[in-house]
Amino acid sequence: MSQFIEMLGDPRNNPKGWPTKRLSELAEYSIGLTYKPEQICDDGTIVLRSGNIQDGKISFSDIVRVNAPIKESLFVKEDDILMCSRNGSASLVGKVAMIPDINEPMTFGAFMTIIRSAEAKYLYLYFQSQDFRERVSEGKSSTMNQITQKMLDKVEVPFPDKDVREALSAIASQADKSKFGDFKSQFIEMFGTVENNTHNFPIMTIGEFANCFAGATPSTSHPEYWENGRIRWMSSGEVHKGHVEDTDSRITELGYKSASTRMVPIHSIVIAIAGQGKTRGTVAITEVDLCTNQSLCAIVPDERVNYSYLYHNLQGRYLELRGLSGDVNGRGGLNLKIIQKIPVILPPIEKQQQFASIAQQADKSKSVIQKALVYLNDIQSDELRKIA
């Protein structure tokens, strides 16, 4: 039985019969600051807007500052929930982020809402559920372009026991610390970079510690190469899966022998060497044996390199990898020679394994969070069916 089931029970039948509470009983909310264009300046107070919510977190990559009178109640505090409450794009309405520990006073714009509650971490989880979106919009989520305070007042929030809420909040906090799998900053802190090798770890090129090879595509004009095939065959678009546990297509033994593709062993790295959009330069881990098309390069490391360590190393260098083809934004391509020459910091295998363990634990936390959101959807749907 998973940690999620142990904490909450099977969400399909809600065996513990959690009650609900109105959001107005759990939180206070405020609409943000209205300011004039002429009040925007270079050295004023930061105004948080919808663009500052990125992937559930506050981003300061695009900030606006204003010199305007601001009420004390409009300054944000740590653990406040910032919600986009009005936007021309319906997909942005309802997006949330928690205010981190900040080092200067900040306010928020008129199209935003701050939600302040002792249950903030738990509510932050709930607000990310599809159920919240449907509840607050009365089933019209596709056309919702604002969330008013009256709409928030009507929301019924599933409210399990305190120990369950605290456990969910703790899981959310831990997963957030690990950035849900984005380990670039943590990686650099532990190991440095090739350009700034502060720990003086050895540096080797991929070709010195790994076997690299591309795949191929059997002819699609021969049905016998594809029909009822049992050999997993990966296309370049599937690299976005991150962890490839299965492939969308399979080929037959005849198809495999007809092409120059090769089997890629489990726990190898595959990198897209061609492709449109964000595909080129994206990496994935193979969780099963498979073969690939010609737009993917397999990297099979030797015993000196932990596959998870190598994956996160290359994942954090996405723009660098795209740039190696000579064109970050266009249709340029990588090749085996370029990949083989990519330098990689190689700390002792024990340190690589330590990092891999951290990454694996964060993946588990992310999985539990996703299950928690499904749970909140399910039990809230039960409540709606009772009312109907």
Side-chain angles (χ1 to χ4, degrees), residues 49 72 81 96 120 186 335 354:
R49 302 161 298 139
E72 184 64 29
I81 300 172
V96 293
Q186 189 171 359
N335 58 49
Q354 179 186 11

Side-chain angles (χ1 to χ4, degrees), residues 49-253:
R49 302 161 298 139
S50 60
N52 297 116
I53 299 178
Q54 299 289 336
D55 298 323
K57 302 175 183 65
I58 297 295
S59 168
F60 297 105
S61 59
D62 180 20
I63 61 173
V64 166
R65 294 179 180 270
V66 299
N67 185 4
I70 303 171
K71 296 180 181 179
E72 184 64 29
S73 61
L74 294 184
F75 285 102
V76 301
K77 299 180 180 180
E78 183 179 359
D79 287 342
D80 281 352
I81 300 172
L82 180 68
M83 176 182 290
C84 176
S85 51
R86 189 191 301 178
N87 197 283
S89 173
S91 63
L92 296 178
V93 177
K95 296 292 186 182
V96 293
M98 290 197 70
I99 301 297
D101 183 14
I102 51 180
N103 56 15
E104 67 173 286
M106 298 181 191
T107 186
F108 54 107
F111 287 3
M112 311 297 289
T113 296
I114 278 291
I115 299 169
R116 190 165 293 162
S117 172
E119 301 287 346
K121 289 183 172 64
Y122 176 73
L123 290 176
Y124 169 71
L125 282 178
Y126 175 68
F127 290 147
Q128 294 178 78
S129 68
Q130 180 62 24
D131 174 72
F132 166 72
R133 191 169 184 83
E134 292 177 354
R135 181 65 172 169
V136 79
S137 64
E138 298 180 345
K140 300 178 181 178
S141 59
S142 61
T143 58
M144 183 176 66
N145 58 11
Q146 67 174 339
I147 297 176
T148 66
Q149 293 193 17
K150 287 185 178 180
M151 294 164 74
L152 292 174
D153 285 340
K154 295 178 181 180
V155 173
E156 298 279 346
V157 181
F159 205 67
D161 294 341
K162 182 179 179 181
D163 58 338
V164 177
R165 301 194 310 272
E166 290 178 347
L168 281 170
S169 298
I171 292 170
S173 296
Q174 184 58 43
D176 187 60
K177 287 178 182 177
S178 297
K179 298 186 180 180
F180 283 0
D182 178 11
F183 297 98
K184 182 175 180 179
S185 60
Q186 189 171 359
F187 187 98
I188 292 174
E189 182 179 340
M190 291 179 66
F191 306 116
T193 65
V194 171
E195 296 78 15
N196 187 23
N197 187 8
T198 54
H199 302 287
N200 293 317
F201 289 133
I203 297 176
M204 298 178 67
T205 63
I206 288 178
E208 291 178 298
F209 62 76
N211 184 20
C212 302
F213 54 89
T217 303
S219 172
T220 55
S221 62
H222 289 266
E224 67 271 20
Y225 292 168
W226 299 88
E227 292 180 358
N228 301 315
R230 295 186 177 182
I231 300 173
R232 296 182 181 91
W233 180 84
M234 179 181 173
S235 64
S236 55
E238 294 179 82
V239 75
H240 296 291
K241 294 178 179 178
H243 294 260
V244 184
E245 298 177 346
D246 201 356
T247 57
D248 297 340
S249 301
R250 280 172 165 73
I251 59 176
T252 64
E253 285 284 349

